[in-house]
Amino acid sequence: MSTSSKKTFYVTTPIYYVNDVPHIGHAYTTIIADALARFQKLAGKDVFFLTGTDEHGQKIEKAAAEKGLTPKALADSVVGRAQDLWKALDISYDLFIRTTMDFHEKGVQKLFRMLLEKGDIYKGEYKGWYCVSDENFLPDDVPLEAEGCKTCPDCGKMASVVSEETYFFRLSAYQDRLLKLYEDHPEFVRPQSRLNEVASFVRGGLKDLSITRTTVKWGVPVPGDPKHTVYVWFDALHNYVTGIGYDWNTERFGKFWPADVHLVGKDILRFHAVYWPAFLMASGLPLPRTVFGHGWWLKDDTKMSKSKGNVLDPHVLLKVFGPDPLRYFLLREIPLGQDGNFSHEAFLHRVNSDLANDFGNLVQRTLTMIGNYFGGEITGAAEETVEDARIRTDFEELKGRVFDHYDACALNRALEEIWAYIGRVNKYLAENEPWIMAKDASRRPRLARVLLQAAAAIRGASYLAFPVMPRSVEKVWTFLNEPKMPAEIRWDGLDFGGFGPGRKIGTPQALFPRVALKDFLEDARIGEQAIPAVKQAPGAEKAEAASAPAGDNKEGVIAMDQISYEEFRKMDLRVARITEAERVPGATKILKLKIDIGTEQRQMIAGIAETYAPEDLVGKRLIVIVNLKPAVIRGIESQAMLLAAITADNKAVVPFFDRDIPAGAVVK
Ligand code: MSP
């Protein structure tokens, strides 16, 4: 086992923008952080886990204006959604920081002033290109396109020209020190491949960085010059120090800073591996140990993101499965650092095979046998045979390896090893056939031994999985009637013999739901439809589209890919009149509608049950697409699709006609 001698562990997630509610991609970073935090607690460390929201900047200012809200009102509404999601995912953060919090703003101003006095910040004039979506200044070598515009090389969106008085941070002065940092501490950036990228970027030369804006009002005012606001990345990065008490809780700050690991997606690695250490070097604060750049969750091979309209709502999965299957899947499926394609088939396969079959069944079978054959209390077990002993010694070795994997942030490796062991225990039971032994009274001591061994293995293996699946493991420990819960036991204090004879265990219940792929895919489809690609009133969207220059893809306003008129014409949009509406038994989101489309009657499934009662719909006229390939949802064929706006809280609002348009009228 290897762990640093430090007694504390400080882990952070990026702070999430509040221009939209978090999706599975955001949940991923937070789940990783949670698993690491929980593991380090088991390892005996005093842990601090910080997450929160990034609430300032042009992107939020714009998103709020588009929704007709103040930036603070937008932030307030999204923060609640984020916190609800973290609760549903059992995220054990210690502080949820918002960059609009007073202590944070004061801390940023103090650091800004300090660097200004030191000469690391100076006033000048900035002229260049800016990407609002990434809140990033474009490098000079990004080519000017024929239309006289530039595209952000990171996100592919249109940049705009910025020309204004600004304060610069003297980033260029830190080039050599940064390169030395990467050389002396290669663990500063992980995985290794990303270190090389970052170092070569810095070697290419660093320019001073504009860190204030006069045209953006929504930000921390520059001390002594309030017509400037602090650049959102200078503001946001400092959450990692203000969040644990910089300038307001010096004891806690002294205890936890520097951070052990900043978890970030690879898209924002540069900000964390170049700007952030340079800011810290300038203010004389110690540097974090590691910035870990993880990969992305993709959907259909494209990064899941709101602007692409391909995000998945974690709540759809959480409602059916609870938090642990999603936590397990995201951490098991890809090594930290690599990208992964999210597919519902792969998700369900993992849940049914690894969780329900391999683990859930093992628990259920073993404990049921202990209940049936021993009244819940194993006594009179035979001595261990070599084969029984191997289950124990394998576990002791496994425990060491899993510790090292967690400690190295190799979460998928830790889970792979635990599940390989669970497979061995299943095999041990299959080979020993305790259900046959139970028929022969003379084999009772052997039966007791085999079940004892299996129960101890279940207890041990589940403990090792606790950082990833805390809720299910606590259930298992409750079935086992453990006097303490896993979180109360240190890694070193867990031994295989902790489950000994004489313990009266409880009745097991199913740990994971069994869901058929067909039903699941139908539900998941509804879930996908419920995630908005565009979130605003239809009128506002049109106005924005009309005023936007050709090719301008504004985040949250216009979908990324343009289609030709010919493609648009392929859609047959018609006025339909609802003739019948009813609920679908067992489904909370969908309604079954009968519609008249002029030439015929059709039935359709619509994800509007949370917004409309069936009885209010009959007679209403709306727009439907009538030439979309039919889909079967919950066993019902849906022969059309309606158009609806999606509200900030994910409800579908249908635009109904306010006068009698005949059913079947063409919409174009
Ligand atoms: N506000 C900045 C971070 C400031 S930290 C001082 C930001 N916010 S974000 O909301 O856009 O993204 C937050 C994190 O979510 C990033 O690490 C990003 O990589 C991650 N993800 C967003 N979409 C993702 C996937 N599809 N997959 C995995 N992670 C993704 O950037």
Side-chain angles (χ1 to χ4, degrees):
M1 284 193 233
S2 73
T3 184
S4 84
S5 54
K6 223 173 133 224
K7 289 276 167 282
T8 58
F9 182 78
Y10 176 31
V11 59
T12 66
T13 71
I15 45 172
Y16 300 100
Y17 287 129
V18 286
N19 58 320
D20 199 18
V21 292
H23 55 70
I24 281 186
H26 304 122
Y28 180 50
T29 325
T30 314
I31 292 170
I32 300 168
D34 188 62
L36 295 181
R38 287 177 186 271
F39 162 71
Q40 293 291 350
K41 277 183 204 156
L42 298 185
K45 299 265 176 85
D46 199 345
V47 170
F48 200 90
F49 169 10
L50 182 74
T51 191
T53 40
D54 189 353
E55 304 191 359
H56 290 131
Q58 197 170 355
K59 178 174 171 126
I60 312 301
E61 197 172 67
K62 264 182 76 201
E66 281 158 8
K67 292 188 168 91
L69 297 171
T70 63
K72 186 64 171 48
L74 172 68
D76 288 346
S77 69
V78 174
V79 162
R81 297 285 305 267
Q83 288 170 337
D84 286 350
L85 178 60
W86 302 154
K87 194 159 171 226
L89 280 164
D90 285 341
I91 303 297
S92 60
Y93 59 78
D94 293 290
L95 184 82
F96 188 99
I97 187 170
R98 302 180 57 176
T99 51
T100 44
M101 284 171 164
D102 201 41
F103 68 79
H104 170 76
E105 295 190 349
K106 287 203 171 108
V108 170
Q109 288 181 320
K110 180 173 168 142
L111 285 153
F112 190 99
R113 202 179 296 114
M114 195 207 294
L115 301 196
L116 188 65
E117 283 161 11
K118 240 185 107 201
D120 269 317
I121 291 179
Y122 63 93
K123 207 175 197 174
E125 179 80 19
Y126 180 81
K127 191 162 182 354
W129 291 82
Y130 191 75
C131 169
V132 177
S133 178
D134 282 359
E135 296 279 19
N136 192 17
F137 299 95
L138 264 52
D140 286 344
D141 57 4
V142 174
L144 200 62
E145 289 156 26
E147 300 81 16
C149 48
K150 286 195 180 192
T151 304
C152 171
D154 291 329
C155 69
K157 295 197 182 110
M158 201 64 74
S160 48
V161 173
V162 171
S163 170
E164 59 192 61
E165 178 187 283
T166 189
Y167 286 86
F168 284 99
F169 172 72
R170 218 176 279 286
L171 184 63
S172 57
Y174 288 89
Q175 180 164 348
D176 293 343
R177 283 180 66 184
L178 287 169
L179 289 173
K180 185 153 171 24
L181 165 70
Y182 309 143
E183 205 174 308
D184 294 350
H185 295 283
E187 76 286 0
F188 180 73
V189 178
R190 290 178 60 197
Q192 168 83 34
S193 54
R194 302 246 177 261
L195 173 70
N196 303 338
E197 275 170 29
V198 168
S200 78
F201 170 77
V202 173
R203 238 178 265 119
L206 293 177
K207 281 181 33 179
D208 290 351
L209 181 69
S210 162
I211 54 160
T212 67
R213 304 290 304 272
T214 51
T215 47
V216 179
K217 297 289 158 240
W218 181 235
V220 177
V222 165
D225 198 353
K227 76 170 189 294
H228 289 260
T229 54
V230 175
Y231 171 44
V232 64
W233 274 100
F234 186 91
D235 166 357
L237 285 162
H238 283 99
N239 93 88
Y240 300 133
V241 290
T242 60
I244 44 156
Y246 175 78
D247 205 38
W248 64 279
N249 185 339
T250 37
E251 191 194 326
R252 192 164 79 190
F253 182 67
K255 180 170 169 191
F256 287 104
W257 188 256
D260 291 85
V261 53
H262 290 312
L263 288 164
V264 301
K266 60 184 180 178
D267 47 326
I268 56 169
L269 184 66
R270 192 180 296 168
F271 297 95
H272 285 80
V274 180
Y275 300 172
W276 181 224
F279 294 157
L280 290 168
M281 285 169 182
S283 50
L285 291 169
L287 304 184
R289 193 159 61 97
T290 294
V291 176
F292 207 122
H294 65 70
W296 288 334
W297 278 98
L298 317 172
K299 184 82 181 58
D300 306 324
D301 294 314
T302 309
K303 183 189 176 210
M304 230 182 260
S305 84
K306 189 191 68 165
S307 60
K308 306 230 167 71
N310 66 346
V311 295
L312 295 176
D313 183 353
H315 287 291
V316 175
L317 300 177
L318 290 172
K319 253 190 213 158
V320 183
F321 297 95
D324 289 353
L326 183 59
R327 292 173 62 110
Y328 175 82
F329 176 77
L330 294 179
L331 300 186
R332 169 75 197 262
E333 199 71 2
I334 51 170
L336 218 59
Q338 287 180 18
D339 291 349
N341 231 324
F342 192 99
S343 94
H344 289 103
E345 286 83 352
F347 171 77
L348 198 67
H349 175 73
R350 283 264 177 232
V351 178
N352 283 345
S353 145
D354 297 14
L355 299 184
N357 281 347
D358 297 350
F359 182 54
N361 257 349
L362 174 66
V363 174
Q364 186 86 22
R365 270 192 306 158
T366 307
L367 304 198
T368 305
M369 283 191 281
I370 297 174
N372 291 347
Y373 306 148
F374 292 93
E377 188 176 334
I378 302 176
T379 49
E383 288 298 304
E384 275 183 347
T385 63
V386 174
E387 185 204 6
D388 303 328
R390 197 167 302 128
I391 292 291
R392 177 171 47 78
T393 53
D394 277 2
F395 175 75
E396 297 301 347
E397 285 168 23
L398 171 78
K399 198 178 130 190
R401 287 198 305 276
V402 170
F403 185 99
D404 291 344
H405 291 318
Y406 276 132
D407 205 32
C409 304
L411 301 170
N412 71 316
R413 293 284 301 128
L415 294 173
E416 265 166 43
E417 294 254 19
I418 299 168
W419 258 258
Y421 179 72
I422 288 171
R424 282 206 291 286
V425 180
N426 272 319
K427 192 160 170 258
Y428 168 80
L429 281 183
E431 285 168 358
N432 279 286
E433 299 180 315
W435 46 92
I436 309 272
M437 284 179 179
K439 294 180 183 151
D440 180 350
S442 71
R443 298 177 77 193
R444 198 165 167 80
R446 278 298 304 143
L447 174 65
R449 168 54 62 193
V450 169
L451 292 179
L452 195 60
Q453 232 55 7
I458 287 169
R459 172 181 177 269
S462 62
Y463 176 87
L464 303 187
F466 178 75
V468 177
M469 308 203 310
R471 196 181 289 192
S472 312
V473 175
E474 280 186 354
K475 277 191 200 159
V476 174
W477 278 46
T478 308
F479 304 155
L480 290 171
N481 204 8
E482 284 290 326
K484 288 184 174 174
M485 283 295 107
E488 299 168 274
I489 299 185
R490 298 286 78 94
W491 200 273
D492 291 343
L494 179 92
D495 74 278
F496 192 83
F499 185 89
R503 167 97 55 86
K504 175 101 178 146
I505 60 151
T507 315
Q509 281 144 24
L511 286 171
F512 305 102
R514 286 190 166 277
V515 178
L517 183 64
K518 192 170 151 285
D519 297 342
F520 174 61
L521 290 180
E522 285 164 9
D523 270 1
R525 210 191 107 134
I526 294 294
E528 278 178 43
Q529 287 174 352
I531 310 295
V534 174
K535 272 198 174 175
Q536 63 190 120
E541 180 192 330
K542 281 232 171 70
E544 184 70 47
S547 64
D552 191 352
N553 290 314
K554 291 200 170 67
E555 171 93 5
V557 179
I558 305 170
M560 274 296 288
D561 299 325
Q562 292 188 336
I563 56 167
S564 66
Y565 181 65
E566 289 315 307
E567 283 171 296
F568 170 73
R569 267 186 35 163
K570 283 188 194 156
M571 282 198 287
D572 193 351
L573 298 168
R574 300 287 173 134
V575 175
R577 191 173 58 84
I578 300 174
T579 54
E580 286 173 38
E582 60 183 277
R583 297 198 182 277
V584 176
T588 52
K589 287 198 167 183
I590 53 173
L591 294 180
K592 182 172 154 190
L593 307 180
K594 288 259 167 62
I595 51 170
D596 174 5
I597 59 164
T599 48
E600 60 187 290
Q601 299 284 326
R602 290 212 185 161
Q603 71 177 14
M604 64 183 280
I605 294 293
I608 54 172
E610 290 178 324
T611 339
Y612 300 97
E615 54 275 19
D616 297 337
L617 290 170
V618 176
K620 290 254 168 29
R621 288 157 203 271
L622 70 165
I623 301 174
V624 297
I625 306 175
V626 294
N627 62 339
L628 194 67
K629 221 157 108 192
V632 177
I633 299 171
R634 287 235 175 207
I636 305 165
E637 188 174 72
S638 184
Q639 302 157 334
M641 192 176 97
L642 56 73
L643 300 184
I646 308 296
T647 62
D649 58 350
N650 254 343
K651 303 262 166 26
V653 177
V654 182
F656 294 114
F657 284 100
D658 60 1
R659 63 203 65 190
D660 271 358
I661 312 278
V666 172
V667 179
K668 54 184 186 174

